Each structure stands twice: as C-alpha cells, then as structure tokens.
Amino acid sequence: MSADLIISGGSVITVDKENRIAEAVAVKGNKIIYVGNQKGVEKFRSTKTKEIDLKGRSLIPGFIESHLH
C-alpha cells in the first residue's frame, strides 16, 4: 500500500502511552497507516506520494477545542 503523504525529517510526538518520539508518519486518505522510523516509512513511498520535510521541527497531534460561551 502506498501513502498519499509522508511527513518526516523531524520529531513526531505521538502522545501514546509510552510517550514515544517517532521519525516519520505515512498517511493514506484520512488514515494514518504508519508511525515509526525513516527506514520503515520507505515501503509506503511511491512516485505519487507527497512529502513534507519537517526540517528538524516537531509534528504534534492537532486538537480542536470548540469551547464557546
């Protein structure tokens, strides 16, 4: 299975139970299909895969907080 998007080149903050820091994420459609190291994400790359290079920055989960008054 090839990914539509690969994000790598920095720290991927997973906020999982072990507080792991990964190196790369692969996304297909609206689903994360891989979180892990740079070597492991390569099997999801194709000629159509878009890539975002974090350039040493961190990727963190996004939160939407609709706190309205």
Side-chain angles (χ1 to χ4, degrees), residues 14-32:
T14 64
V15 193
D16 65 4
K17 291 178 182 180
E18 292 85 31
N19 277 329
R20 291 179 295 164
I21 307 298
E23 297 176 345
V25 174
V27 179
K28 178 77 171 177
N30 63 354
K31 293 188 184 230
I32 296 171

Side-chain angles (χ1 to χ4, degrees), residues 22-58:
E23 297 176 345
V25 174
V27 179
K28 178 77 171 177
N30 63 354
K31 293 188 184 230
I32 296 171
I33 58 173
Y34 178 81
V35 177
N37 61 31
Q38 187 65 42
K39 184 178 179 180
V41 82
E42 294 302 320
K43 67 181 177 182
F44 297 98
R45 185 182 310 279
S46 76
T47 57
K48 295 181 180 182
T49 302
K50 179 181 174 184
E51 184 160 0
I52 296 175
D53 182 357
L54 293 172
K55 298 180 182 178
R57 295 172 291 196
S58 296

Side-chain angles (χ1 to χ4, degrees), residues 51-69:
E51 184 160 0
I52 296 175
D53 182 357
L54 293 172
K55 298 180 182 178
R57 295 172 291 196
S58 296
L59 176 68
I60 61 172
F63 297 97
I64 299 173
E65 207 281 272
S66 60
H67 187 91
L68 302 173
H69 291 270

